[in-house]
Amino acid sequence: MDKSRIPIVEERATIEKKVVPTGAVRITSKVAERLEMLRDELIAQTVAVERVAVDREVDTPPGIRSEGDVLIIPVVEQRLVVEKRWVVTEELHVRRREHVEVVEIPVELRSTQVSVERVEAAPQPGDAAD
C-alpha cells in the first residue's frame, strides 16, 4: 500500500483597515459685543417731622396712631399737681414722601457666535477617479 500524503490547504481571510480622511470640519467662534441700556426706577423716601403742641390731659398714655399718610407719636410727661395726670405735651407728625427717579445705565453684553464649515479632503494617491 502506497501511503501518500495529501496536503490539506486552508485559506484564511483577514481584514485590514486604514484610516482614510474623507473630510474635515472647521469650527470658528467669535465674541460679539453689543451695548444695551438698562432702565429702572429708583425710589427714595424722605420723612418730615413736625412738632405740634397739644397740652391735653389724658388718663393713660395714648398709643402711636396713623391718620392718612401721617404717623402720630404722642410725647407725654407726668406733672405733679395735687394728683398725677397724664398730659400730652406735643405730638410728632411724621409724613412720608416718595421721589421716583428713572435711571439708565449702559451695559456691555457679550455673546459667542459659532460657525461650522465642512471641508472636503484632498484625494489620496491610489484612489480611483470617478
Side-chain angles (χ1 to χ4, degrees):
M1 237 200 253
D2 188 5
K3 289 189 179 179
S4 314
R5 289 192 172 220
I6 302 175
I8 298 177
V9 177
E10 178 182 339
E11 290 185 346
R12 292 195 179 173
T14 59
I15 297 175
E16 292 184 14
K17 299 185 226 177
K18 70 176 183 175
V19 176
V20 178
T22 60
V25 175
R26 180 181 298 131
I27 298 176
T28 57
S29 68
K30 67 178 181 176
V31 175
E33 295 180 354
R34 66 187 185 279
L35 191 63
E36 288 190 13
M37 295 299 282
L38 296 182
R39 182 184 178 113
D40 205 351
E41 293 179 347
L42 300 178
I43 298 175
Q45 287 187 346
T46 59
V47 294
V49 178
E50 176 185 353
R51 291 178 172 262
V52 177
V54 176
D55 204 32
R56 177 179 70 231
E57 288 186 17
V58 292
D59 295 329
T60 60
I64 297 172
R65 68 184 190 278
S66 291
E67 291 181 7
D69 66 343
V70 178
L71 178 66
I72 299 174
I73 304 168
V75 178
V76 296
E77 70 179 21
Q78 283 185 335
R79 293 183 183 165
L80 185 60
V81 186
V82 174
E83 60 189 10
K84 282 199 263 183
R85 300 181 191 167
W86 287 105
V87 177
V88 176
T89 57
E90 68 177 327
E91 292 177 335
L92 302 178
H93 292 211
V94 180
R95 285 187 178 77
R96 291 183 203 205
R97 295 186 178 100
E98 285 190 356
H99 171 73
V100 177
E101 177 183 355
V102 176
V103 295
E104 290 185 349
I105 301 170
V107 176
E108 189 173 283
L109 301 176
R110 295 184 180 100
S111 63
T112 303
Q113 298 171 346
V114 176
S115 66
V116 178
E117 178 184 347
R118 182 97 175 135
V119 180
E120 296 303 322
Q124 296 295 317
D127 286 350
D130 291 323

